[in-house]
Amino acid sequence: MGKFSRYGNALYGGQRSIDFVGRRGLWYSITAVAVLASLAVIFIKGMNFGVEFTGGTQVRASMPAAQVTQDNADAVREAIVDEDIEGVDSPTVTTEGTSAIVVEVGEVSDAASDRIGEVIQETVPETTDLSQTEIGASWGREVAQQALTGVAVFLVLVMLFIWGYFREWKMSIAAMVALFHDIIITVGIYALSGFPVTPSAVTGLLAILGFSLYDTVVVFDKIRENTHELRKSGETYAEAANLAVNQTLVRSINTGIVALIPIGAILYVSAVQLGASSLQDLALAQFVGMAVGIYSSVLLAPRVLVHLKGRESAIQLADKRARSRAKANADRYATVPVFAEDMPVQDESDPEFEDGAEEEIRVTRASAPPRAPEASGRGRVVPPAKGEVRQSGASGRVQPTRQTRSKRGPK
């Protein structure tokens, strides 16, 4: 753990750096493949909408708490499938706390609904009460419309918030790209799992959007801090943004792990031990969305932001200045002039070229004018004497003589 902490400190201080922003082709390729694969799953396999969205019949069988187990729920599901009831293809059987087992199917006739109740009683004889609820398709469409409206309002508010906080519309665009990426991949994996789409799944989708946005805002805030004064820092915009990603990397990983561990535990318990339940719908959407959100906030959103900002003339000028400064610091002799044909050379009639001496071309360079003689040990130029200068016996050195006032000339 100490080694990981030291590595994180090195990333934050800039002693170590992982080139996240510079690998544009890699991250764009991974993102494009993941998004296209998710869209293919969504359109080819389709979503398994629950009865809340499509309408159908819900049969609730009350029984003693000792009988409300996952084994009995699985037995009821197998019995209904084996019965081959008309209109019942893939029933959803879940436990409702410790009081009942709930069977959900599509729209079926009254006879088929009654037969489902009989199968439940035959499978679990301790059933005390049966109740049936018809869910209309119009109510399901209303739920779906409200869910889409909620997502649209959320995205609009996110754009306004980021634009108002950072005063930068390009950051809003980059954040939206990351959010759409998270939504599409989460929905694609959800469709691939075959889990029914319920209101719990929609709730989980909205929750993971908030998590992804929070992580993206943290990274963008660090980018804004690092790129506030590019002229003084001597870095390009991409280098400053990459440093910000490295500085927030450990925080993003730690936050993601802390969030994924409990959600993963809920998903395992609800899917494996409790069987199909509303908890697994919520947990799957949150688990996938949070994992994808870490990727988008660290790798995708900063890369899109750098891509958009790189088109600004001010950023291009600052980047050019920073690259020139870096080149000069790396090679101090890069600015030394090289030999050219039109440079002045020493005359070949110089005696140095006579008597078969080796021919040598000397490049003459402009130099500063000769300096005046300096006072010994003083580091400054000796001012010219105003009068006669001669040896002084008293001081033991050369000094200007002083004439009487009558012999001095006019001032």
Side-chain angles (χ1 to χ4, degrees), residues 387-404:
E388 183 182 357
V389 180
R390 63 187 177 183
Q391 185 72 25
S392 173
S395 62
R397 59 184 177 179
V398 177
Q399 286 186 341
T401 59
R402 182 178 180 84
Q403 296 178 343
T404 60

Side-chain angles (χ1 to χ4, degrees), residues 200 263 266-267 269-271 274-285:
S200 298
I263 298 298
I266 295 174
L267 178 60
V269 171
S270 60
L274 300 181
S277 65
S278 58
L279 280 178
Q280 76 174 10
D281 306 336
L282 176 66
L284 179 63

Side-chain angles (χ1 to χ4, degrees), residues 225-241 243 315-330:
E225 178 182 341
N226 290 355
T227 59
H228 180 61
E229 294 181 348
L230 288 177
R231 181 185 294 271
K232 293 184 178 180
S233 65
E235 295 177 318
T236 65
Y237 191 91
E239 292 172 346
L243 176 61
I315 298 298
Q316 293 176 353
L317 180 61
D319 290 352
K320 184 178 179 180
R321 187 184 303 114
R323 285 191 292 267
S324 299
R325 184 181 303 175
K327 182 179 179 181
N329 292 335

Side-chain angles (χ1 to χ4, degrees), residues 74-88:
D74 295 338
V76 169
R77 182 186 301 105
E78 293 176 0
I80 294 176
V81 172
D82 295 340
E83 193 68 21
D84 195 17
I85 303 174
E86 182 181 358
V88 179

Side-chain angles (χ1 to χ4, degrees), residues 328 331-339 343 365:
D331 185 3
R332 297 181 180 274
Y333 299 99
T335 57
V336 175
V338 297
F339 175 77
M343 279 186 173
R365 298 181 181 176

Side-chain angles (χ1 to χ4, degrees), residues 128-389:
T128 58
D129 184 43
L130 287 174
S131 61
Q132 298 181 3
T133 303
E134 298 294 332
I135 302 176
S138 59
W139 185 85
R141 286 193 296 269
E142 183 179 353
V143 171
Q145 183 178 359
Q146 291 178 353
L148 294 176
T149 302
V151 173
V153 171
F154 175 83
L155 295 178
V156 172
L157 292 178
V158 165
M159 290 190 66
L160 294 177
F161 167 76
I162 296 179
W163 176 82
Y165 181 73
F166 293 105
R167 296 291 191 272
E168 177 59 72
W169 64 269
K170 291 183 175 65
M171 287 189 174
S172 297
I173 299 299
M176 286 298 101
V177 171
L179 287 178
F180 279 116
H181 165 270
D182 298 344
I183 293 175
I184 293 174
I185 293 182
T186 302
V187 174
I189 295 179
Y190 202 95
L192 185 63
S193 68
F195 284 11
V197 179
T198 63
S200 298
V202 177
T203 303
L205 183 64
L206 292 175
I208 61 100
L209 292 181
F211 177 86
S212 176
L213 174 65
Y214 167 75
D215 210 21
T216 302
V217 168
V218 171
V219 177
F220 280 1
D221 192 57
K222 196 63 181 177
I223 291 177
R224 181 181 64 172
E225 178 182 341
N226 290 355
T227 59
H228 180 61
E229 294 181 348
L230 288 177
R231 181 185 294 271
K232 293 184 178 180
S233 65
E235 295 177 318
T236 65
Y237 191 91
E239 292 172 346
N242 190 72
L243 176 61
V245 176
N246 281 271
Q247 290 174 330
T248 57
L249 178 63
V250 175
R251 190 213 65 87
S252 299
I253 294 176
N254 290 338
T255 304
I257 292 176
V258 171
L260 288 175
I261 288 177
I263 298 298
I266 295 174
L267 178 60
Y268 173 78
V269 171
S270 60
V272 177
Q273 297 184 351
L274 300 181
S277 65
S278 58
L279 280 178
Q280 76 174 10
D281 306 336
L282 176 66
L284 179 63
Q286 288 190 338
F287 187 86
V288 175
M290 287 181 178
V292 175
I294 297 173
Y295 166 83
S296 65
S297 61
V298 173
L299 302 178
L300 181 60
R303 179 58 259 178
V304 174
L305 176 62
V306 172
H307 189 96
L308 295 175
K309 294 288 291 184
R311 299 176 180 271
E312 297 182 4
S313 57
I315 298 298
Q316 293 176 353
L317 180 61
D319 290 352
K320 184 178 179 180
R321 187 184 303 114
R323 285 191 292 267
S324 299
R325 184 181 303 175
K327 182 179 179 181
N329 292 335
D331 185 3
R332 297 181 180 274
Y333 299 99
T335 57
V336 175
V338 297
F339 175 77
E341 293 295 337
D342 57 349
M343 279 186 173
V345 296
Q346 185 172 337
D347 190 359
E348 294 185 2
S349 63
D350 194 300
E352 185 178 351
F353 292 97
E354 298 177 359
D355 299 331
E358 182 180 358
E359 183 177 355
E360 180 181 0
I361 300 177
R362 297 186 178 183
V363 179
T364 60
R365 298 181 181 176
S367 59
R371 299 180 59 181
E374 296 183 355
S376 176
R378 295 293 184 177
R380 59 178 181 268
V381 178
V382 180
K386 296 183 179 180
E388 183 182 357
V389 180

Side-chain angles (χ1 to χ4, degrees), residues 47-69:
M47 304 295 296
N48 180 21
F49 289 98
V51 295
E52 293 88 352
F53 295 97
T54 61
T57 302
Q58 183 183 80
V59 181
R60 184 178 184 275
S62 301
M63 57 189 66
Q67 302 300 321
V68 183
T69 63

